[in-house]
Amino acid sequence: MAAASMIRSVFKKELFSGKVAIVTGGATGLGRAITEELSSLGCKVVIASRRLENLEKAAQEINEAIPISLRPRVFPYQCNIRNEEQVKSLMKYTIDTHGALDYLVNNGGGQFASPAISAKGWLAVVETNLTGTFYCCKHAYNEWMAGHGGAIVNIIADMYKGFPNMAHTGAARAGVQNLMMSLALEWADCGIRINCVSPGIIYSETAAKNYGGRHVFDEGLHIIPAKRLGIPEEVSGAVCFLLSPAASYITGTTIKVDGGQSFYRSPFTIPEHNSFPPPLEDPELNSKL
Ligand SMILES: CCCCCCC/C=C/C(=O)SCCNC(=O)CCNC(=O)[C@H](O)C(C)(C)COP(=O)(O)OP(=O)(O)OC[C@H]1O[C@@H](n2cnc3c(N)ncnc32)[C@H](O)[C@@H]1OP(=O)(O)O
Ligand SMILES: NC(=O)C1=CN([C@@H]2O[C@H](COP(=O)(O)OP(=O)(O)OC[C@H]3O[C@@H](n4cnc5c(N)ncnc54)[C@H](OP(=O)(O)O)[C@@H]3O)[C@@H](O)[C@H]2O)C=CC1
């Protein structure tokens, strides 16, 4: 991952000067790229996830790349987004310590590949991705944004053709997208904009490690019109755009950062079979086939 001073953002240098953001899962992968770009553009960023050690290391590395007089800009805070009390404390800490909460990026989450998951596995994924996002939105609203406005971006996933082998996350991410649309309407009168960014297959060491290595991501190349994987910085740019004044009239929408994958091929193949019922279960109609 590039040091913050090396970030080549297309946005102007002080775009987010004086602003305060929370990025969940901000120590690794996409979240880290988002944190690096936001902080390089003047934003204070609270990064929140379960593993404090990871958070502290990332914050230190990113802060060290920022001129001493402007440090620190990145602040670690341990929080499991599945725990509502911890989420509430994250919001309170951010507002008490940094005086505002202008932006929320709901990036923390994930899943595992499994065709038939246990109820416990289903709940772990739905609670993390859908309920965790709901908790973060709810408490950002209650603690700050209802009275001051703000912008929220949720990271979802390419679930538009269903998500076989990851049905748990497909259901959760579709839920997040619909939640986003409802909140865009419910909270418009408070000056809150809320949108989603939907990544395709984005390579980072931590993400690939979760699936057994880079080769698993490379196996997806045949379903990507761009014929390459994405990188976290390509997702970060879309998030920064949606948070910025350039998106002041954008709410309730989803930007896909996927090299065209979402409307091309599915990675899932269906075995040959003759298990489907005949047309209308009528032998006469069936004979037309
Ligand atoms: C194969 C396709 C490759 C291309 C994919 C490209 C798209 C990439 C998308 C990405 O999202 S990349 C990002 C990847 N990063 C992550 O997913 C990281 C975060 N993930 C997690 O934290 C977990 O996976 C989680 C499920 C979201 C949360 O797990 P947690 O540790 O909190 O769950 P537990 O409470 O320990 O477990 C509960 C229950 O869940 C089942 N389970 C958990 N992990 C797995 C697993 N790896 N495989 C199978 N089942 C799993 C299991 O039933 C657990 O219960 P127990 O069996 O432990 O009692
Ligand atoms: N990479 C890709 O191709 C794609 C990624 N995505 C999504 O983008 C997001 C970022 O993934 P990516 O950066 O690739 O992968 P990473 O594995 O690097 O990031 C996942 C992050 O989520 C955090 N996290 C997981 N569970 C929780 C929790 N319960 N509470 C708080 N934080 C949590 C993790 O931190 P910790 O373990 O410390 O809690 C980690 O920092 C995820 O939601 C992912 O599913 C979507 C589509 C494609």
Side-chain angles (χ1 to χ4, degrees):
M1 188 66 63
S5 62
M6 304 283 285
I7 294 288
R8 271 174 253 133
S9 177
V10 300
F11 299 102
K12 69 176 178 188
K13 237 182 162 354
E14 295 304 321
L15 181 62
F16 296 119
S17 194
K19 301 291 186 186
V20 178
I22 291 174
V23 178
T24 63
T28 65
L30 309 187
R32 172 142 182 175
I34 294 163
T35 301
E36 287 184 352
E37 187 160 7
L38 283 173
S39 61
S40 79
L41 297 170
C43 198
K44 284 187 180 169
V45 186
V46 175
I47 53 175
S49 73
R50 297 165 300 178
R51 288 174 291 175
L52 186 59
E53 220 178 277
N54 268 8
L55 293 166
E56 286 176 341
K57 185 167 177 283
Q60 188 184 341
E61 286 169 4
I62 301 170
N63 283 327
E64 276 171 3
I66 288 168
I68 291 177
S69 60
L70 302 173
R71 289 183 204 167
R73 276 207 187 137
V74 178
F75 305 86
Y77 192 89
Q78 188 170 34
C79 174
N80 182 344
I81 57 170
R82 280 157 76 177
N83 182 316
E84 186 167 10
E85 278 313 304
Q86 289 183 23
V87 169
K88 202 170 166 181
S89 301
L90 164 68
M91 303 301 159
K92 279 184 178 297
Y93 154 79
T94 303
I95 293 154
D96 291 349
T97 314
H98 303 293
L101 175 54
D102 302 290
Y103 310 130
L104 168 65
V105 181
N106 289 308
N107 160 82
Q111 62 285 308
F112 46 85
S114 169
I117 61 167
S118 64
K120 193 174 171 195
W122 170 272
L123 285 176
V125 173
V126 172
E127 279 175 6
T128 303
N129 296 288
L130 177 55
T131 311
T133 298
F134 165 70
Y135 288 155
C136 290
C137 290
K138 172 184 164 183
H139 291 290
Y141 175 86
N142 283 347
E143 300 298 328
W144 185 262
M145 289 188 182
H148 302 83
I152 301 175
V153 174
N154 302 321
I155 304 296
I156 55 171
D158 174 15
M159 43 59 195
Y160 309 97
K161 298 189 282 281
F163 214 148
N165 283 336
M166 292 203 200
H168 44 355
T169 216
R173 308 304 180 132
V176 171
Q177 193 187 39
N178 203 268
L179 171 69
M180 173 276 292
M181 290 161 69
S182 300
L183 297 183
L185 302 183
E186 286 187 23
W187 294 352
D189 65 343
C190 300
I192 299 171
R193 295 185 302 103
I194 175 164
N195 295 287
C196 288
V197 167
S198 177
I201 303 182
I202 311 296
Y203 175 74
S204 75
E205 255 175 52
T206 46
K209 201 169 143 200
N210 253 281
Y211 294 99
R214 160 111 198 205
H215 68 279
V216 180
F217 276 39
D218 285 339
E219 279 163 20
L221 282 170
H222 70 288
I223 63 160
I224 309 173
K227 294 292 172 198
R228 68 165 173 83
L229 303 179
I231 61 167
E233 288 75 5
E234 290 176 302
V235 176
S236 170
V239 173
C240 288
F241 163 70
L242 284 172
L243 295 178
S244 80
S248 54
Y249 203 53
I250 300 179
T251 194
T253 199
T254 299
I255 294 185
K256 296 174 179 176
V257 183
D258 65 3
Q261 172 190 320
S262 49
F263 58 95
Y264 190 50
R265 293 179 182 167
S266 168
F268 189 71
T269 47
I270 296 162
E272 288 309 315
H273 68 88
N274 61 0
S275 309
F276 243 55
L280 302 175
E281 300 198 336
D282 178 329
E284 218 172 285
L285 288 174
N286 199 17
S287 68
K288 290 183 174 179
L289 284 174

